Amino acid sequence: MIDNKTKILGLFGYPLEHSFSPLLHNQAIKELGLNYAYFSFPVKPDLLKDAVSGLRALNFRGVNVTIPYKEKIIPYLDELDSLAEKVGAVNTIVNNDGILKGYNTDVIGLKRMIEEDAGYTLQGYRAVVIGAGGAARAACFTVLQGGAKELTILNRTGEKAVLLAESVEKYYPSVDIKGLSFQLDKECRKIVENANIVIDTTPVGMSPAIEVEPIIPEKWLNPGQLIVDLVYNPPITTLLKAAQKAGTAAINGKGMLLYQGIEAFKIWTGLEPNVESWKKLI
Ligand code: ATR
């Protein structure tokens, strides 16, 4: 029931047709018996600043932020959580009496998925991140926060991998971090073969173009490794199929979506949604 006391939550992004967030958060609100409501707000690019002012003016409790605004929204906020500041991306905003604070729950969401769903720790790992965009940046901080000892970023455009490596290594000077151009050559093969975890953050294999060559050849993979593909539609990409054939543990990015939402919900309400009922919804 929506009444005078209902607290408003929502999602800023553009476009937004495919997001699961309204479904998940409204389910949690219902299950926990809270007087909140979560709406989808497809904010047009030239109106982002006005939309943030609207959060304050209309006393929203908070919003999630998704593509393409995770970085662009930062200048309009009052405070940043230290992790969001390092990552340079915000996916959750909370409004505390008109003070808007930005958080990044993608990193903790991915970390929970790797640790709880896949059952791996990151401590002392050699990690490979494929891609050099926003999702790759979150993946880099995830493995570094988890205690990885080595991180190699491989990207189609090599310079972007080098720049990403340079921008994260200042926070983790004792970790061996490098960025390289991703080629199907001996050097990249050796790096992938020696990795404990490989996280693919590229859209390769995402619906509708699902019948593609896996971004890493099957023969580069080996048992004992964990392969993470952040794509979850389809649930098993060609990379995950290759990993399964190679006897390698493989997981898609659905858990990251769930756990980042759980962390956001906790920030707004102080309560934890039931992850099992969320899993049934998507
Ligand atoms: P996101 O915010 O989801 O990370 P992004 O910033 O657009 O999205 O980054 C996508 C990443 O996937 C980029 O690193 C991109 O490589 P380039 O830097 O060379 O553009 C990578 N990517 C996209 N399509 C790819 C493909 N077909 N093969 C390899 N890498 C690809």
Side-chain angles (χ1 to χ4, degrees), residues 67 131-136 155-157 160 201-204 215:
I67 294 165
N155 191 47
R156 177 174 66 181
T157 310
K160 279 167 69 180
T201 72
T202 72
V204 175
I215 194 153

Side-chain angles (χ1 to χ4, degrees), residues 143-159:
V143 297
L144 292 167
Q145 285 239 318
K149 69 171 179 192
E150 249 179 67
L151 167 64
T152 308
I153 302 157
L154 300 176
N155 191 47
R156 177 174 66 181
T157 310
E159 306 91 82

Side-chain angles (χ1 to χ4, degrees), residues 179-196:
L180 277 181
S181 165
F182 185 27
Q183 310 286 341
L184 293 179
D185 62 10
K186 273 191 195 152
E187 187 183 11
C188 289
R189 179 173 182 160
K190 200 167 157 222
I191 290 164
V192 170
E193 278 178 345
N194 285 330
N196 305 102

Side-chain angles (χ1 to χ4, degrees), residues 11-213:
L11 173 63
F12 284 4
Y14 196 80
L16 276 182
E17 286 103 70
H18 302 294
S19 174
F20 289 111
S21 295
L23 188 70
L24 299 174
H25 288 287
N26 286 311
Q27 168 79 12
I29 288 165
K30 201 168 105 191
E31 281 185 6
L32 292 164
L34 302 177
N35 194 357
Y36 283 79
Y38 187 107
F39 301 91
S40 194
F41 297 106
V43 177
K44 296 228 170 89
D46 54 337
L47 294 175
L48 181 63
K49 190 176 176 193
D50 295 340
V52 177
S53 300
L55 287 180
R56 282 194 197 89
L58 302 175
N59 199 26
F60 281 28
R61 176 58 181 150
V63 286
N64 283 132
V65 182
T66 188
I67 294 165
Y69 300 134
K70 289 184 185 185
E71 289 147 31
K72 290 193 191 94
I73 206 156
I74 289 178
Y76 307 130
L77 304 179
D78 303 306
E79 292 175 2
L80 272 189
D81 170 69
S82 64
L83 179 62
E85 191 167 355
K86 279 189 212 164
V87 180
V90 159
N91 78 326
T92 303
I93 298 171
V94 66
N95 179 5
N96 287 320
D97 298 324
I99 308 292
L100 301 182
K101 182 165 181 177
Y103 290 82
N104 185 305
T105 69
D106 287 329
V107 168
I108 187 159
L110 177 57
K111 191 158 172 280
R112 263 187 88 172
M113 176 179 104
I114 290 166
E115 292 177 349
E116 293 178 28
D117 292 354
Y120 281 68
T121 65
L122 292 157
Q123 191 65 45
Y125 272 21
R126 280 185 293 273
V128 168
V129 169
I130 304 180
R137 198 170 163 83
C140 289
F141 279 98
T142 302
V143 297
L144 292 167
Q145 285 239 318
K149 69 171 179 192
E150 249 179 67
L151 167 64
T152 308
I153 302 157
L154 300 176
N155 191 47
R156 177 174 66 181
T157 310
E159 306 91 82
K160 279 167 69 180
V162 173
L163 283 176
L164 177 55
E166 282 170 2
S167 78
V168 297
E169 75 188 346
K170 62 173 180 278
Y171 298 107
Y172 296 90
S174 60
V175 184
D176 179 4
I177 303 174
K178 54 181 179 291
L180 277 181
S181 165
F182 185 27
Q183 310 286 341
L184 293 179
D185 62 10
K186 273 191 195 152
E187 187 183 11
C188 289
R189 179 173 182 160
K190 200 167 157 222
I191 290 164
V192 170
E193 278 178 345
N194 285 330
N196 305 102
I197 183 167
V198 179
I199 306 177
D200 179 21
T201 72
T202 72
V204 175
M206 191 192 286
S207 178
I210 62 174
E211 296 298 332
V212 291
E213 281 296 310

